[in-house]
Amino acid sequence: MNDQKFIVNIVQLPNKILREKSQDVVLPLSPEDVHLAETMIYHVEDSIKPNSKFRPAVGVAAIQYGIPKNMFYVYIEDGFGNVIFRDLLINPKVISKSNALIALKEGEGCLSVKESDPNQKGYVKRSLRIIVEGYSYFEKKVVRHDQSNYVAIVLQHELDHLEGKLFIDRIDHKNPWKKEKDLYTI
Ligand SMILES: [Zn+2]
């Protein structure tokens, strides 16, 4: 794919646009929104290639380009090049979330939070399982994703972006690595 047509400009804190709530996208997609979708796909998939100019990512939301539209892309491979999850969701809605909680042992990261920023280490507690419905860019119809564990974490991270939330908001900054008994960590 010719990457010259995709311009990736990531917005980072303290830019306040990251705190904006994104708006639903009109379907069918306009040519401009198709280009946005293709940019997100190019960006995330390129980011995990060796020698990519991008910081490695498993997902990106439109708001991270400064565009407050309800769209995100998630692309997750296992360590062997197998695709675990891939979808670009438009106007996603949460159908249900488990009470059971999960967090990444190493904490989360985000393209919109510089790795040098303080106060970003700690457990980010999320539902272990989530059911999300949204219009799939690939399937061209509304789909339902029922996901657990790592994929569920990533989906919730991206859904948060659409609400103007960031993972750092969910860290207990007084006790960032406090592990409740019922918190499952991976
Ligand atoms: Zn993020």
Side-chain angles (χ1 to χ4, degrees), residues 117-134:
D117 280 5
N119 302 320
Q120 59 174 298
K121 299 288 178 205
Y123 289 130
V124 181
K125 294 171 195 168
R126 304 208 181 264
S127 291
L128 192 148
R129 181 178 169 196
I130 187 170
I131 300 173
V132 184
E133 256 185 25

Side-chain angles (χ1 to χ4, degrees), residues 18 59-61 64 108-113 126 154 157-158 160-161 165-167:
L18 292 163
V60 71
Q64 294 182 275
E108 295 186 17
C110 179
L111 299 179
S112 295
V113 180
R126 304 208 181 264
V154 177
H157 179 115
E158 300 308 332
D160 268 0
H161 275 302
K165 288 198 192 107
L166 294 163
F167 77 98

Side-chain angles (χ1 to χ4, degrees), residues 29 48 86 88 95 99 137-138 154 156 158 161 168 173:
L29 295 180
I48 56 170
R86 181 180 194 246
L88 193 150
I95 304 300
N99 292 324
Y137 178 71
F138 301 113
V154 177
Q156 286 167 82
E158 300 308 332
H161 275 302
I168 51 173
H173 292 290

